[in-house]
C-alpha cells in the first residue's frame, strides 16, 4: 500500500527536479532563455513554462479543480499548439513567478493529500504518488532538451545529475524510479 510518507518523499524529489531545472537555466541571459535554435524549435523559456503548465493541469484535473495561475499563458505553454502559433514568451520574471506559483500549489494540494485533509485520502494518496512520479519525469524530460541547447548551442557546461539514489538515465533521459 502506498503511504503518506511516500508522497512526502516524492514532493522532495519534485523539488529536487525543479532545482536541477534551475541549475540549467538560472545563470543564462534573458536572450539565451528566449533564443530558439530554429523556427520550429521551442526556446528554453517555453520549456520552463510548459513544465509548470503541465504540473498545474495535471494537479487540477486529477486532484482539485482550480483556476490557472496565469490563464494568458495556457495556450502559449500547451504543446498541442504548434510552435509558430504559440506567441511571444513572457518575461523571465513572469515565467519564474508562474513556475513558483505552480510549485506552491503542487505542494499545497499534494501536502493536503499527504496530511489526509481531503475526501478519500487513501485513493488520493495513490493518485498523488503516480502524479508526482509523472511530474518529476516530465520535468526531467524537458531538462534533457534544455540541457542540450544549453551545452551544444549556447556553450555552457552542464551541472552533474541529481544524486538521490532514485534517479537514473533511460534512453539518455533522467528518470525517477518510483520503486526506489
Amino acid at each position: 500500500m502506498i503511504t503518506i510518507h511516500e508522497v512526502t518523499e516524492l514532493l522532495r524529489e519534485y523539488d529536487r527536479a525543479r532545482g536541477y531545472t534551475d541549475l540549467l537555466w538560472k545563470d543564462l541571459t534573458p536572450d539565451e532563455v528566449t533564443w530558439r535554435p530554429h523556427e520550429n524549435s521551442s526556446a528554453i523559456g517555453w520549456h520552463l513554462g510548459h513544465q509548470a503548465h503541465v504540473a498545474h493541469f495535471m494537479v487540477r484535473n486529477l486532484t482539485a479543480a482550480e483556476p490557472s495561475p496565469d490563464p494568458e499563458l495556457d495556450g502559449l505553454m500547451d504543446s498541442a499548439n504548434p510552435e509558430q502559433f504559440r506567441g511571444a514568451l513572457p518575461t523571465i520574471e513572469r515565467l519564474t513567478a508562474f513556475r513558483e506559483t505552480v510549485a506552491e500549489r503542487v505542494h499545497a494540494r499534494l501536502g493536503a493529500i499527504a496530511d489526509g485533509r481531503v475526501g478519500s485520502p487513501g485513493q488520493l494518496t495513490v493518485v498523488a504518488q503516480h502524479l508526482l512520479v509523472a511530474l518529476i519525469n516530465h520535468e526531467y524530460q524537458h531538462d534533457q532538451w534544455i540541457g542540450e541547447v544549453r551545452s551544444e548551442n549556447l556553450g555552457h557546461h552542464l551541472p552533474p545529475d541529481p544524486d538521490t539514489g532514485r534517479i537514473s538515465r533511460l534512453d539518455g533521459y533522467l528518470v525517477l524510479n518510483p520503486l526506489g
Side-chain angles (χ1 to χ4, degrees):
M1 184 63 168
I2 295 170
T3 66
I4 291 168
H5 175 74
E6 290 175 73
V7 173
T8 302
E9 288 296 317
L10 286 169
L11 281 168
R12 280 194 275 279
E13 289 292 340
Y14 172 67
D15 290 341
R16 187 173 285 119
R18 289 185 67 255
Y20 181 74
T21 302
D22 287 348
L23 291 174
L24 292 171
W25 79 275
K26 287 242 174 170
D27 64 336
L28 301 178
T29 67
D31 286 343
E32 289 173 318
V33 173
T34 59
W35 177 79
R36 294 173 29 198
H38 54 80
E39 68 182 25
N40 291 320
S41 179
S42 300
I44 288 172
W46 179 84
H47 289 270
L48 298 170
H50 174 75
Q51 288 166 318
H53 173 76
V54 167
H56 163 69
F57 274 94
M58 287 183 71
V59 169
R60 180 189 95 170
N61 289 329
L62 296 175
T63 69
E66 65 176 27
S68 174
D70 193 335
E72 292 176 13
L73 295 183
D74 291 346
L76 174 64
M77 299 305 170
D78 189 342
S79 60
N81 293 326
E83 173 63 38
Q84 63 269 28
F85 302 120
R86 290 185 189 150
L89 287 173
T91 64
I92 300 301
E93 294 77 19
R94 188 171 173 193
L95 271 175
T96 301
F98 182 62
R99 286 179 59 81
E100 289 172 359
T101 299
V102 168
E104 289 167 5
R105 289 182 176 190
V106 167
H107 271 273
R109 181 61 181 160
L110 299 180
I113 292 169
D115 293 343
R117 294 180 281 120
V118 295
S120 306
Q123 184 269 346
L124 279 177
T125 298
V126 173
V127 170
Q129 182 204 30
H130 293 284
L131 172 61
L132 280 164
V133 170
L135 292 180
I136 292 162
N137 285 329
H138 182 256
E139 189 84 12
Y140 286 136
Q141 176 186 7
H142 286 272
D143 285 351
Q144 180 66 27
W145 191 91
I146 293 168
E148 289 171 2
V149 170
R150 175 189 174 83
S151 65
E152 296 169 19
N153 297 106
L154 300 175
H156 295 282
H157 75 281
L158 291 173
D161 291 351
D163 183 21
T164 72
R166 295 183 75 176
I167 302 295
S168 58
R169 286 213 175 253
L170 183 62
D171 298 329
Y173 291 84
L174 290 171
V175 293
L176 172 79
N177 179 351
L179 303 175

